[in-house]
Amino acid sequence: HLIVWSVTQVRGICVCGSEGIATSSRDRTVRLWSLDDSRKFVSSKILLGHTSFVGPLAWIPPNSEFPHGGVVSGGMDTLVCVWDLKTGEKVHTLKGHQLQVTGIAFDDGDVVSSSVDW
């Protein structure tokens, strides 16, 4: 299936296993899109907590802490946020960058982030 996102505000996207697709935006949100009964993607959750543009995203596969998986997001606000996909709640806020977060990866329980700071 080819899905084309034509929203100019979307800054990041990641596939979240069977839970759907997550997108990040200049409107400071992370949105989860799930398939409805007619097999169309619809917005199912809006994750709020960043104070500026949100960019990179990474999926956390289901595990003991996140039975439905999670998402990690990075923003212009220098924050890295960890979200529970079942509840839509922000469960961790990681601080340490001085400037915007430009990349996020999740590997074997570790969150790795990059930034334009020195």
Side-chain angles (χ1 to χ4, degrees), residues 12-72:
I13 188 167
C14 72
V15 176
C16 300
S18 62
E19 294 297 313
I21 296 171
T23 59
S24 61
S25 177
R26 293 173 59 99
D27 69 0
R28 302 185 313 263
T29 67
V30 175
R31 295 175 190 259
L32 181 64
W33 303 83
S34 302
L35 286 172
D36 67 9
D37 293 337
S38 64
R39 308 272 311 148
K40 293 181 182 177
F41 280 97
V42 295
S43 179
S44 57
K45 288 186 177 75
I46 299 174
L47 313 179
L48 303 172
H50 279 282
T51 60
S52 189
F53 302 168
V54 187
L57 298 171
W59 179 54
I60 301 171
N63 58 43
S64 59
E65 184 177 3
F66 303 109
H68 293 267
V71 169
V72 183

Side-chain angles (χ1 to χ4, degrees), residues 52-109:
S52 189
F53 302 168
V54 187
L57 298 171
W59 179 54
I60 301 171
N63 58 43
S64 59
E65 184 177 3
F66 303 109
H68 293 267
V71 169
V72 183
S73 60
M76 288 276 294
D77 56 8
T78 73
L79 301 177
V80 173
C81 298
V82 180
W83 308 88
D84 183 329
L85 287 184
K86 179 177 178 159
T87 64
E89 297 294 319
K90 181 170 57 169
V91 294
H92 301 290
T93 301
L94 309 173
K95 299 177 182 179
H97 290 296
Q98 301 299 312
L99 297 171
Q100 77 184 61
V101 179
T102 57
I104 295 283
F106 181 83
D107 183 48
D108 196 27

